[in-house]
Amino acid sequence: MKLSPAVITLFVATTEAFTVAPTGHGTSKINMIINGETETASEKVASVFSKLPEENAVVDKLVKTNFPGAISNKDLATRVVELLGEKGFKPSNTLLATSLCADELARELEDEFVEIYGNNFNLGGLSGFPFAGNTGFGAMAAHIPDDGFCLVIHGPHVGITKEGQVGKVERSGIALVDNCCGSAIAASNYLKGITDGGATITPKIQQFTDFQQGAVQELILPFGKRLGRAENRMRELPYALYDSQEALVTDIVNTGKGGIKKGLAVLGGIQINTSPDTLDYFHPLKFDYYDSDGNVVENMLPYLK
């Protein structure tokens, strides 16, 4: 999939508020602080997931049937930490940066890695698109510890209910089984209205007060036929979004790779949110390692499968 230079230029020029997120979020399955001064990254992984639900065999089968290649967040964190540890990544010398959706469910994965590596630099917005752009990536790179590393995690998310309905998910404290991802589904409906010929003509193509959603809708336009032909539109939707985001993330990283210090790891994929009492999952689609000169020197994706 190719995005037009105009779209990429407009997108990466956008600069949102570049805040470093503190550890712990009230809505997360994690609500604790680990003393990072005395624990290795692997020990932190064990501590993080000891507080979370055990793997549910029924949910595990359900997720992996709908999303072949998905692994639990626990398995993901264990393998990522092991691989990066071999390259010198430690909690004390690594900055975490994420481009994930604004939805609180996207904080699950983020919080788990925050508990391992420390504070997070937020690059993302609705649907997981990297709305911080080049400016945000440059600011983030300046915060990487001297002679240190950066781990970037990016991607859209999708929900799945206990009954196996994709695009919906149970949320804590809410009786309604809700859409997930709401932004992605709204963009999909917008696109369907265009491809089906039922879209309402409006001069308000972009509004500053809803700029991010407008951008998501524009960035999904190239996938009309693909989604229209999909056996399960909701299951295909996050993969279409990922392909769009991957083009943007790659462009942003290549533009800002001069800010890489000792090394950069980029992990991309699909977050899969489940009910509050079960583990979340992730389908890894990319895991590249860049050296200090900004060259991709290793594809680590096979080691996550």
Side-chain angles (χ1 to χ4, degrees):
M1 188 277 298
K2 294 184 179 180
L3 299 175
S4 70
V7 170
I8 292 178
T9 301
L10 173 64
F11 184 87
V12 299
T14 304
T15 57
E16 297 295 308
F18 312 127
T19 57
V20 178
T23 56
H25 296 266
T27 57
S28 172
K29 295 172 186 173
I30 295 177
N31 191 16
M32 60 179 180
I33 298 177
I34 299 174
N35 183 355
E37 297 300 319
T38 59
E39 291 179 300
T40 66
S42 294
E43 289 170 337
K44 286 188 172 190
V45 171
S47 296
V48 167
F49 288 95
S50 69
K51 307 296 183 181
L52 296 180
E54 293 293 329
E55 185 176 288
N56 182 304
V58 174
V59 172
D60 186 73
K61 182 179 179 180
L62 193 63
V63 170
K64 292 177 179 178
T65 298
N66 281 278
F67 301 97
I71 58 177
S72 71
N73 282 10
K74 180 179 180 179
D75 287 342
L76 176 73
T78 300
R79 297 173 194 177
V80 165
V81 163
E82 180 180 354
L83 288 166
L84 295 185
E86 294 173 357
K87 299 188 178 301
F89 285 64
K90 299 183 293 185
S92 61
N93 70 358
T94 301
L95 176 64
L96 174 68
T98 62
S99 183
L100 305 171
C101 186
D103 192 318
E104 73 275 9
L105 294 184
R107 306 284 75 73
E108 299 293 347
L109 178 69
E110 182 177 284
D111 284 353
E112 288 157 7
F113 275 91
V114 162
E115 296 292 350
I116 297 165
Y117 287 113
N119 287 333
N120 168 60
F121 194 106
N122 179 27
L123 296 168
L126 290 181
S127 288
F129 279 93
F131 282 99
N134 292 333
T135 301
F137 188 88
M140 178 278 294
H143 300 173
I144 298 171
D146 293 338
D147 201 29
F149 301 88
C150 178
L151 168 61
V152 172
I153 303 176
H154 75 92
H157 71 128
V158 62
I160 184 169
T161 69
K162 290 182 176 180
E163 287 70 40
Q165 184 177 6
V166 177
K168 300 274 189 180
V169 73
E170 300 89 352
R171 294 178 186 263
S172 180
I174 301 175
L176 176 70
V177 178
D178 195 23
N179 287 343
C180 181
C181 165
S183 168
I185 292 173
S188 173
N189 290 339
Y190 167 81
L191 177 57
K192 193 172 187 298
I194 293 174
T195 56
D196 290 353
T200 301
I201 298 175
T202 173
K204 298 181 179 180
I205 298 175
Q206 291 283 5
Q207 289 182 320
F208 181 79
T209 52
D210 204 14
F211 173 80
Q212 288 196 11
Q213 184 60 26
V216 173
Q217 292 174 174
E218 296 299 318
L219 290 161
I220 200 177
L221 287 177
F223 301 97
K225 288 185 178 179
R226 172 175 167 181
L227 292 174
R229 293 169 178 170
E231 179 181 348
N232 185 320
R233 189 180 181 95
M234 289 298 99
R235 192 160 55 213
E236 184 65 22
L237 178 58
Y239 292 97
L241 288 166
Y242 174 82
D243 287 344
S244 181
Q245 292 172 19
E246 169 59 20
L248 294 165
V249 169
T250 298
D251 184 78
I252 290 168
V253 170
N254 286 337
T255 299
K257 62 185 181 182
I260 297 173
K261 294 185 179 176
K262 197 166 185 178
L264 167 72
V266 178
L267 172 63
I270 311 297
Q271 283 193 83
I272 303 160
N273 300 125
T274 66
S275 64
D277 59 346
T278 55
L279 288 175
D280 281 349
Y281 285 73
F282 190 83
H283 185 187
L285 299 172
K286 174 180 180 177
F287 194 27
D288 285 347
Y289 181 68
Y290 294 72
D291 64 15
S292 58
D293 294 322
N295 301 310
V296 178
V297 293
E298 186 174 1
N299 170 21
M300 300 184 288
L301 183 61
Y303 304 118
L304 295 182
K305 298 180 178 180

